[in-house]
């Protein structure tokens, strides 16, 4: 399919970067934590991710796509209880911690505060050089941008502790039109 897309877009677009990723399917990601404890189920995802009927782009979605590199050596050198404090949930069974460290990743990206999104973290890379490709869909770009502002400490002055062990390499917003809209382009 990828080759067909490249062929179909020849002369209009060209491939600039390719990153091989894989799905961890609710297994721990490369930080050792199970991802997405607040992500809506597939049944609830359309409410969070798709623009509602009656607005321009209805049934489409705003996509935030980012590539983050992990500092593997520093992260793995941390004791598990410190990793759990940074994430704000237990490593093995993803139970949220009672005390909410203000700089924890879960606190800085709280979907109850910023609005719900449909997200997936997809691992990429090799044993010693790897990270996460973040894929987040939302019916409202502000939800995504406010979460990023919160992670960077721009809202409260408190930076997401996880960003001390990860480095953003790329990131962009895209609009993903509905299948119905794409059918009209033919």
């Amino acid at each position: 399919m990828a080759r067909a897309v490249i062929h179909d877009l020849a002369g209009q677009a060209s491939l600039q970067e390719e990153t091989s990723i894989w799905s961890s399917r609710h297994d721990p990601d490369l930080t050792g934590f199970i991802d997405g404890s607040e992500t809506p189920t597939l049944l609830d995802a359309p409410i969070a991710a798709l623009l509602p009927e009656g607005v321009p782009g209805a049934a489409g979605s705003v996509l935030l796509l980012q590539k983050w590199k992990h500092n593997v050596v520093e992260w793995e050198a941390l004791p598990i209880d410190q990793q759990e404090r940074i994430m704000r949930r237990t490593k093995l069974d993803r139970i949220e911690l009672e005390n909410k460290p203000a700089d924890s990743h879960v606190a800085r990206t709280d979907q109850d505060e910023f609005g719900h999104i449909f997200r997936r973290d997809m691992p990429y890379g090799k044993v010693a050089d790897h990270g996460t490709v973040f894929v987040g869909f939302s019916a409202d770009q502000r939800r995504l941008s406010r979460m990023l502002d919160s992670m960077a400490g721009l809202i409260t002055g408190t930076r997401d502790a996880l960003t001390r062990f990860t480095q953003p390499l790329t990131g962009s917003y895209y609009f993903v039109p509905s299948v119905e809209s794409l059918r009209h382009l033919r």
Side-chain angles (χ1 to χ4, degrees):
M1 184 174 105
R3 295 290 313 145
V5 169
I6 289 170
H7 178 267
D8 291 347
L9 294 175
Q12 298 173 352
S14 62
L15 180 64
Q16 294 300 304
E17 180 183 340
E18 182 175 353
T19 301
S20 295
I21 60 175
W22 63 91
S23 174
S24 61
R25 295 191 179 243
H26 302 295
D27 294 329
D29 66 15
L30 297 177
T31 66
F33 284 80
I34 296 173
D35 177 49
S37 63
E38 291 188 346
T39 298
T41 66
L42 287 176
L43 292 174
D44 294 329
I47 296 166
L50 300 180
L51 278 76
E53 291 301 318
V55 301
S61 187
V62 176
L63 165 64
L64 173 59
L65 185 64
Q66 298 176 297
K67 185 176 178 181
W68 293 78
K69 180 177 178 171
H70 297 180
N71 185 329
V72 181
V73 174
E74 285 186 29
W75 178 256
E76 290 177 350
L78 293 175
I80 290 176
D81 66 323
Q82 199 169 352
Q83 291 178 5
E84 290 176 337
R85 185 198 164 292
I86 289 168
M87 297 302 275
R88 199 191 119 211
R89 62 177 182 254
T90 58
K91 194 167 188 174
L92 294 179
D93 49 14
R94 72 184 196 178
I95 295 171
E96 288 197 17
L97 302 176
E98 289 295 319
N99 298 328
K100 273 188 174 181
D103 66 345
S104 70
H105 182 60
V106 172
R108 300 286 17 110
T109 60
D110 188 344
Q111 291 192 43
D112 290 331
E113 180 179 344
F114 299 111
H116 289 271
I117 64 171
F118 183 72
R119 59 175 296 235
R120 289 289 185 259
D121 285 353
M122 307 295 286
Y124 78 89
K126 301 173 260 181
V127 173
D129 180 20
H130 65 261
T132 297
V133 173
F134 173 83
V135 181
F137 293 94
S138 178
D140 184 350
Q141 183 177 349
R142 287 176 297 210
R143 296 175 195 167
L144 297 162
S145 64
R146 295 229 347 117
M147 285 180 192
L148 288 176
D149 287 348
S150 177
M151 288 176 68
L154 299 176
I155 295 175
T156 65
T158 302
R159 178 179 163 192
D160 185 332
L162 185 59
T163 64
R164 299 185 196 307
F165 302 93
T166 57
Q167 175 188 2
L169 301 177
T170 64
S172 283
Y173 291 104
Y174 301 91
F175 179 73
V176 181
S178 68
V179 172
E180 191 60 35
S181 294
L182 291 173
R183 283 189 184 118
H184 292 305
L185 293 177
R186 288 183 176 198

